[in-house]
Amino acid sequence: MEDTAEQLNISNSVTLPNLAYTSACRRSHVNYKYRKAFVTNSLRHLQQQVALAAKTEITPSKMTPQLVFVFCANGVNFKGICRTLLSSEPVFRDKCKEIEMLFQQYVPISLLGLTEGECEDFSGPEIAQPLLFTLQVALTSLLKHWGIKPVAAVGHSVGEVAAAHCGGFLSLEDAVKVIYHRSRLQAKVTGGRMLVVGNIPVQEVSEALGPYSGKVCIAAFNSPSSCTLSGDADSVSALQKELAQVFSKRDIFLHVLHVPAAYHSHMMDPIIKEMMEHLQYLEKQKPEIEVISTLTGKAASVDDFTTGRFWAQHARNPVAFTQAIVTSAKEKDNVVFVEIGPERALQRYIIETLGKETRVLSSLQTDKEYQTLLSLCHALVYLPPVDEMSKEVLV
């Protein structure tokens, strides 16, 4: 690094692309015990980082981080998503095409074309769920290709299908089958409303549901102080007003989700039988890592993901995300959570569950794809946080 710092100081002909190529591809690393990665957007910024790093004493980490991949659910923005990765990363692009071909055995759909076309509404399950699954599996494949591998996985609601596949519990063909029938059947159900409630202990929110029994239920236990309610539209609206009034002095957070149906509620009952029938026989696989199910909040067994009954209950019952996160962190040292999906949908819930010192890293943000992924890689080798940057240089 001293040589690189000196070269940056005295030479006016150095460019970022040339330096990146020379450092990564033309320099022998046999005689060096350590390598250093920088994320930068200019030679001046790189010069400052290299000079600082050259003066910093290297302290080897005593413990490798244990990664838990957390797969988000519906409700994210897909417009223009993964444009850069699709054009620049063959591993990502090829996996997307492979999954798209499997979906086309069931329905003629161009999933990746939707993100670049005129489609503005991605809320329908028949679009949102296959697209989210495709991006999550392709992103996980890319991370594994780069050597970033988890020891456990958790999936919030429909994210559990991708988690089950990436954990080795479901073949890709069976995972696509689950997503296809789940999304197709849920598209038949419309109406109802879902409401996220935050900053209030879930137990207190649960106690307020008494008068709405059979009409509104807790659809997801997100954290000790956040849950998602689901049920009849009028009842959810009335309850929203009631909660706003009762907890007006306690900074309550209330947000209506933009979804076409009340998932994880009694409104799913009409499709449960058919879902069980279509997903009754799925092939048992040999798991590669631990997967914590958000149906039970416990580690899944090899049989859990192979029955229609499981997936029917999974679509109908509440999401036990809080308990699943607690379980995923048990008996693990130096745990780092990595969100698999667009945006930071679950970061707050994980921190609220395990504490402010919990590390949760993002893997994908629209228009910042490489920046987000490189920041992830940066953090996992114990480098300091980075600012808004756009180019990478390996030194």
Side-chain angles (χ1 to χ4, degrees):
M1 285 191 292
E2 289 85 353
D3 293 343
T4 302
E6 183 178 355
Q7 183 182 7
L8 289 170
N9 280 327
I10 64 176
S11 176
N12 294 323
S13 61
V14 177
T15 65
L16 279 176
N18 288 344
L19 182 58
Y21 174 76
T22 300
S23 299
C25 304
R26 304 292 293 176
R27 179 173 293 174
S28 173
H29 300 283
V30 175
N31 297 322
Y32 296 95
K33 189 174 182 179
Y34 302 105
R35 298 179 69 182
K36 179 81 171 177
F38 297 96
V39 183
T40 187
N41 61 358
S42 70
L43 282 171
R44 181 180 179 82
H45 183 264
L46 177 63
Q47 183 179 0
Q48 295 171 347
Q49 290 191 91
V50 174
L52 180 63
K55 298 176 183 178
T56 304
E57 183 179 354
I58 296 176
T59 304
S61 171
K62 297 179 181 180
M63 204 177 298
T64 302
Q66 297 193 69
L67 304 184
V68 177
F69 281 8
V70 186
F71 296 76
C72 69
N74 294 330
V76 296
N77 181 21
F78 292 107
K79 190 65 177 178
I81 197 73
C82 294
R83 185 184 293 117
T84 302
L85 294 181
L86 284 168
S87 63
S88 305
E89 294 295 336
V91 171
F92 184 89
R93 182 175 59 249
D94 292 346
K95 182 58 68 172
C96 284
K97 289 181 177 179
E98 179 185 359
I99 297 171
E100 187 173 69
M101 290 180 63
L102 290 173
F103 274 115
Q104 287 174 350
Q105 295 178 4
Y106 296 98
V107 60
I109 185 173
S110 176
L111 292 171
L112 303 180
L114 290 172
T115 65
E116 297 294 337
E118 298 180 358
C119 182
E120 296 291 340
D121 185 6
F122 293 91
S123 62
E126 73 281 10
I127 295 176
Q129 294 184 25
L131 186 54
L132 179 64
F133 172 83
T134 300
L135 298 180
Q136 287 177 326
V137 172
L139 184 58
T140 303
S141 297
L142 179 61
L143 291 175
K144 289 182 177 179
H145 177 69
W146 286 352
I148 301 175
K149 301 177 182 180
V151 297
V154 179
H156 192 291
S157 188
V158 70
E160 185 155 320
V161 185
H165 165 66
C166 294
F169 285 80
L170 280 179
S171 67
L172 186 58
E173 292 78 7
D174 277 348
V176 166
K177 181 179 179 180
V178 172
I179 289 290
Y180 168 70
H181 287 294
R182 189 184 195 276
S183 62
R184 174 183 66 84
L185 292 171
Q186 288 191 327
K188 293 181 177 182
V189 183
T190 58
R193 179 169 292 186
M194 299 188 75
L195 175 71
V196 178
V197 183
N199 298 335
I200 302 295
V202 174
Q203 181 58 40
E204 292 186 46
V205 178
S206 178
E207 291 170 358
L209 297 182
Y212 299 92
S213 178
K215 298 179 180 179
V216 181
C217 66
I218 296 180
F221 294 85
N222 300 317
S223 78
S225 57
S226 177
C227 63
T228 303
L229 305 180
S230 184
D232 301 340
D234 291 343
S235 297
V236 172
S237 296
L239 180 57
Q240 180 180 0
K241 294 177 181 178
E242 183 179 320
L243 292 172
Q245 183 176 4
V246 172
F247 298 108
S248 60
K249 297 181 180 180
R250 294 175 58 183
D251 192 31
I252 187 171
F253 172 82
L254 297 167
H255 174 68
V256 176
L257 294 179
H258 179 56
V259 290
Y263 303 121
H264 298 285
S265 77
H266 62 278
M267 299 193 74
M268 296 294 105
D269 290 344
I271 64 172
I272 293 303
K273 182 178 179 182
E274 188 175 352
M275 189 177 296
M276 289 178 60
E277 292 172 351
H278 283 288
L279 300 177
Q280 191 58 47
Y281 301 107
L282 303 174
E283 291 187 15
K284 189 182 301 185
Q285 305 292 318
K286 185 178 180 180
E288 299 172 6
I289 61 172
E290 180 183 56
V291 173
I292 313 300
S293 174
T294 50
L295 175 61
T296 62
K298 302 176 181 179
S301 71
V302 292
D303 298 314
D304 283 346
F305 298 121
T306 61
T307 69
R309 178 177 295 277
F310 174 90
W311 290 113
Q313 291 177 339
H314 192 271
R316 171 62 177 87
N317 292 1
V319 180
F321 186 72
T322 306
Q323 184 56 50
I325 289 299
V326 171
T327 302
S328 71
K330 282 183 177 178
E331 299 179 0
K332 294 183 180 69
D333 296 318
N334 201 24
V335 177
V336 177
F337 293 88
V338 179
E339 277 203 60
I340 305 297
E343 306 171 4
R344 296 181 179 181
L346 302 172
Q347 181 185 54
R348 178 173 179 171
Y349 300 150
I350 297 171
I351 292 174
E352 286 177 346
T353 299
L354 297 178
K356 294 182 180 180
E357 300 302 317
T358 307
R359 287 174 292 174
V360 185
L361 305 177
S362 179
S363 64
L364 184 62
Q365 287 182 273
T366 306
D367 297 329
K368 297 180 180 180
E369 294 166 24
Y370 270 127
Q371 177 186 318
T372 308
L373 283 170
L374 289 169
S375 295
L376 169 63
C377 298
H378 201 261
L380 291 179
V381 292
Y382 300 101
L383 298 178
V386 295
D387 299 323
E388 295 287 321
M389 301 170 187
S390 59
K391 294 182 180 179
E392 68 275 15
V393 180
L394 284 175
V395 180

